[in-house]
Amino acid sequence: GKVEGILQLVADGLKLISKEIIIPAKADKPIFWAAPVLFAATAAAFVALIPVAPGWVVADIDLGLLAVFAVIGFFPIITVLAGWSSNSKFPFIGGIRALYQMVSFEIPLILSLLGIVMLTGTLNLSEIVESQVNFPWIIFMPIGAIVFFICILAELERIPFDLPEAESEIVAGWLTEFSGMMYGLVQLGTYIKLYAFAALFVVMFLGGWNGPWVFPIEPIAEVITDGIVIMPGALTVELPGLPLFSQEMINGTIWFVLKTVGVIFFILLPRGVFPRVRIDLLLKIGWYKLIVLAFVNIFIALALVYSGIIGPGGIM
């Protein structure tokens, strides 16, 4: 705790690695063992779809946003299986709460992004970032950004939507029976998921890697040697057996990281501000309020497209 608590993360990791893994006697052992691994693997699959910089994405597929929705859909299933397989009351209650919460918030989460799909005409995440060269979509889609941000908090089970893990009510919710590195894997998956959702917000609403040049565009001189090529106008380094590193990629990575860290800060901020909401209010927020706002956002996108302001042949 000496350096602003940074070393606490290392201490927690070492503690979880060294602790004994305890399996409940009447648990469904194969599913109980598989749930933490599947949770971390699904979060990693989510990260693989996020473009960080030009040309820097693990899976750059044309239907990238659909793939994101498909991956997100696995989290409620894994959570319910984890709670049910432990054969314990509190984890099962937490799993059911997580199912209610994620199902009610996934629909407005998906709808909040459809406006951007209408404006860009593509589901490819890299192309969505490239469409924000002049301005980020949050300028035209602020309602969609607000809805998406609230849904992120619910999907991540962060305060004020931490009902599935409500310590003061149901011990630790669906995580109660996990111990040792099984619990560690779930925590790892949770923080990977936190990064992935923050990065998706940056990609969809904040322009992704787009930003002013941090370094000068023109290099000092042109140098051509074996394996290293530096051309005027775009600093490019090409090494045998390594991918291409361009000045554009480095600049894009810097902006993407800065934006993502900023979004993560705002995701963590409500923890010290808001109390936990009741489950009936949570469901009303998801099913009544956020869905209505998401449809309003879609109508705004339709108005922008059909009025000729944005989209094919638009003035912007």
Side-chain angles (χ1 to χ4, degrees), residues 52-251:
V52 175
W56 188 2
V57 56
V58 177
D60 189 15
I61 56 180
D62 290 336
L63 301 177
L65 195 58
L66 277 184
V68 167
F69 295 155
V71 169
I72 292 172
F74 281 102
F75 287 113
I77 300 169
I78 296 169
T79 305
V80 171
L81 284 176
W84 175 81
S85 64
S86 62
N87 199 15
S88 180
K89 289 181 180 178
F90 287 139
F92 185 65
I93 293 170
I96 294 297
R97 283 184 176 189
L99 180 63
Y100 284 155
Q101 182 166 311
M102 291 181 179
V103 168
S104 61
F105 279 85
E106 266 183 24
I107 296 172
L109 181 142
I110 293 170
L111 292 176
S112 66
L113 299 181
L114 291 185
I116 292 175
V117 174
M118 293 174 183
L119 296 179
T120 57
T122 180
L123 289 165
N124 186 297
L125 294 177
S126 297
E127 292 178 7
I128 289 173
V129 174
E130 290 165 3
S131 70
Q132 302 176 74
V133 173
N134 298 320
F135 46 79
W137 287 125
I138 194 170
I139 294 174
F140 293 97
M141 303 272 100
I143 297 175
I146 293 169
V147 171
F148 186 67
F149 185 81
I150 295 172
C151 292
I152 285 177
L153 293 179
E155 287 286 325
L156 293 171
E157 298 173 14
R158 307 289 309 182
I159 290 174
F161 306 116
D162 65 331
L163 277 82
E165 302 173 24
E167 294 92 346
S168 57
E169 300 170 23
I170 49 175
V171 188
W174 64 280
L175 299 172
T176 301
E177 299 295 345
F178 287 120
S179 58
M181 205 51 207
M182 292 180 74
Y183 178 77
L185 275 176
V186 175
Q187 290 299 313
L188 175 65
T190 300
Y191 285 110
I192 293 174
K193 189 177 168 187
L194 169 65
Y195 158 76
F197 269 116
L200 184 62
F201 187 93
V202 170
V203 166
M204 300 301 294
F205 292 101
L206 299 181
W209 61 72
N210 292 307
W213 284 94
V214 179
F215 300 108
I217 300 174
E218 296 287 343
I220 297 172
E222 179 179 346
V223 181
I224 301 178
T225 59
D226 293 336
I228 299 179
V229 181
I230 303 178
M231 299 295 293
L235 180 62
T236 304
V237 180
E238 188 173 359
L239 299 175
L242 291 176
L244 194 69
F245 292 96
S246 66
Q247 196 172 14
E248 186 182 9
M249 178 182 285
I250 296 169
N251 190 77

